[in-house]
Amino acid sequence: TPGVPAQKYPPPVAGKVIWGFAVDELIYSVTLDQWMTHAGVDIACRLGTEVAAVAAGKVRQVYEDDRMGITVVIEHSGGLASVYANLAKEPNVKEGDRVKQGDVIGVTGDTALAECKMDPHLHFELLLDNAWVNPADYLLLE
């Protein structure tokens, strides 16, 4: 697959994937009581778990999304961008910051209204040239 690294990146948090990547199929959301696509993976972890940048890059955005809560977007080389959502308020980074792989960018929270009926987790997405890709192809996930 083009763009897939020879070596996979470490995950942003340790934990099992409780909701997988599904952009070509609909999966059922208990919270929203509807069938929908899911452009990332949800990784189970305790509230307040430190979230690490999966690769070096520059923080492109830090914002509060109506559905996905506190969100950080990091731009990496090669057209790759990582998205970390459902973070606690006050992430450790701001727009324009440079991060190294493994730097803590924030901690998990319960700010994602669209996923509030689920167990605590990090919602994580990857984009390649602004198109969603399956994080499982790029990360060492459990």
Side-chain angles (χ1 to χ4, degrees):
T1 312
V4 173
Q7 285 194 307
K8 290 189 175 188
Y9 300 112
V13 294
K16 289 208 178 327
V17 172
I18 54 173
W19 225 36
F21 179 78
V23 291
D24 297 327
E25 62 182 314
L26 295 176
I27 54 180
Y28 184 71
S29 164
V30 174
T31 305
L32 300 176
D33 189 25
Q34 68 184 26
W35 291 88
M36 58 187 287
T37 58
H38 192 240
V41 292
D42 292 342
I43 305 168
C45 57
R46 287 199 174 112
L47 277 178
T49 297
E50 290 188 337
V51 177
V54 296
K58 184 178 181 181
V59 177
R60 183 169 72 198
Q61 288 177 289
V62 177
Y63 63 97
E64 184 159 7
D65 182 270
D66 291 344
R67 293 178 57 219
M68 298 313 302
I70 304 295
T71 302
V72 171
V73 180
I74 300 175
E75 217 159 61
H76 309 287
S77 59
L80 199 64
S82 54
V83 180
Y84 310 77
N86 199 28
L87 298 173
K89 304 252 182 212
E90 308 296 325
N92 299 14
V93 294
K94 60 188 184 313
E95 289 180 20
D97 284 357
R98 293 224 163 258
V99 295
K100 297 189 297 293
Q101 184 180 55
D103 281 358
V104 174
I105 60 160
V107 298
T108 54
D110 56 1
T111 57
L113 296 177
E115 298 183 345
C116 63
K117 286 189 181 171
M118 296 173 62
D119 289 336
H121 66 279
L122 174 73
H123 176 86
F124 178 82
E125 300 174 5
L126 269 181
L127 294 103
L128 182 62
D129 299 328
N130 293 317
W132 283 299
V133 291
N134 188 345
D137 293 339
Y138 293 79
L139 301 182
L140 294 164
L141 295 171
E142 282 183 33

